[in-house]
């Protein structure tokens, strides 16, 4: 295969390693397996343009994207409904979409799995037409990300520590949004501290990622927690994959959902694949089955991350 690798030098793990040395390793591993490789290392501000350039090349079969959540989400959006496949380097903090695809959680391990990997089709989702691969959420999650962005950190561990501090700050002063959620013929009107809508249902017993990335459904999670200790318990349940047993979240599934925000607040933020965005008063979220081709470890290879 012809593989075009685009590495964001400002994204995720690449900020803290010798990215040129890694690029040399990438070329060595993939060329040894018989693939043709071209590599471009770019600044974060240039990542979208570099990805578009790689995708436009007729000879390219696979675009290998390396960076944080934003880089992967951008690459997936650009490759949606195209024949070319996406290969994901797990250089972010949690790498949840990559985990759901069974990609090893070390950079070297991922490269080795791509050497003899296979291309499969998985789902994407969209919110008012804007694609995402993992999750769209409002309320607590958005507040946590807003608070974390005001903190300073220079590593993956630092980001995790900042996330923990932001989570505690949000729990102490949680948002409360009046919303309506239409799922099929059912309309739910509620006051909630948060709603998350995922590209396929999260699995159980692990971090929040989909066990089946081609399941064809949205996972819809509505927080009914109000008190601080209930919010803290819900957060822990979600991180440990115990949401089915949680008394503090309602879980639904559908191929389409319409979210309307009735609260009087002027600006409502959402998080889409880890990035803060402005959210409209009415948002339609849909699943797009088989909309993305991805390069994953070959079937029979035990590459699932814990």
């Amino acid at each position: 295969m012809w593989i075009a690798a685009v590495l964001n030098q400002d994204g995720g793990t690449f900020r803290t390693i010798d990215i040129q040395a890694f690029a040399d390793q990438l070329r060595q591993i993939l060329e040894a397996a018989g693939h043709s490789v071209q590599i471009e290392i770019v600044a974060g501000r240039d990542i979208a343009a570099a990805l578009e350039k790689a995708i436009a090349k007729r000879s390219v079969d696979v675009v290998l994207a390396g960076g944080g959540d934003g880089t992967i989400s951008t690459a997936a959006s650009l490759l949606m409904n195209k024949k070319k496949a996406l290969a994901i380097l797990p250089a972010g903090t949690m790498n949840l979409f990559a985990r759901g695809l069974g990609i090893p959680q070390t950079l070297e391990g991922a490269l080795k799995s791509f050497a003899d990997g296979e291309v499969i089709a998985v789902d994407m989702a969209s919110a008012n037409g804007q694609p995402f691969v993992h999750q769209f959420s409002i309320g607590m999650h958005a507040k946590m990300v807003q608070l974390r962005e005001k903190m300073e950190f220079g590593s993956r561990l630092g980001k995790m520590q900042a996330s923990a501090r932001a989570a505690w700050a949000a729990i102490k002063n949680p948002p409360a949004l009046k919303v309506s959620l239409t799922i099929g013929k059912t309309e739910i009107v509620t006051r909630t501290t948060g709603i998350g809508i995922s590209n396929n249902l999260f699995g159980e017993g692990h971090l929040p990622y989909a066990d089946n990335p081609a399941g064809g459904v949205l996972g819809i999670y509505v927080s009914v927690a109000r008190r601080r200790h209930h919010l803290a318990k819900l957060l822990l349940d979600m991180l440990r994959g115990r949401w089915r047993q949680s008394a503090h979240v309602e879980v639904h599934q559908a191929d389409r959902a319409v979210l309307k925000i009735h609260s009087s607040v002027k600006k409502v933020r959402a998080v889409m694949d880890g990035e803060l965005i402005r959210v409209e008063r009415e948002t339609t979220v849909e699943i797009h089955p088989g909309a993305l081709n991805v390069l994953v470890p070959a079937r029979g290879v035990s590459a699932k991350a814990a």
Side-chain angles (χ1 to χ4, degrees), residues 206-220:
H206 52 63
L207 291 169
Y209 61 82
D211 284 338
N212 181 6
V217 296
L218 301 169
I220 303 167

Side-chain angles (χ1 to χ4, degrees), residues 119-133:
V119 174
I120 63 170
V122 297
D123 304 338
M124 289 190 68
S126 66
N128 282 351
Q130 185 174 346
F132 64 93
V133 294

Side-chain angles (χ1 to χ4, degrees), residues 2 4 51-63 75 78-87 119-120 291-295:
W2 277 89
L51 287 165
E52 288 176 346
K53 181 180 175 183
I55 292 168
K57 293 180 179 178
R58 290 186 180 181
S59 60
V60 170
D61 301 303
V62 175
V63 176
L78 293 170
L79 285 162
M80 185 176 181
N81 295 321
K82 289 185 170 59
K83 291 183 179 180
K84 290 180 171 65
L86 170 66
V119 174
I120 63 170
L292 180 67
N293 290 321
V294 289
L295 182 64

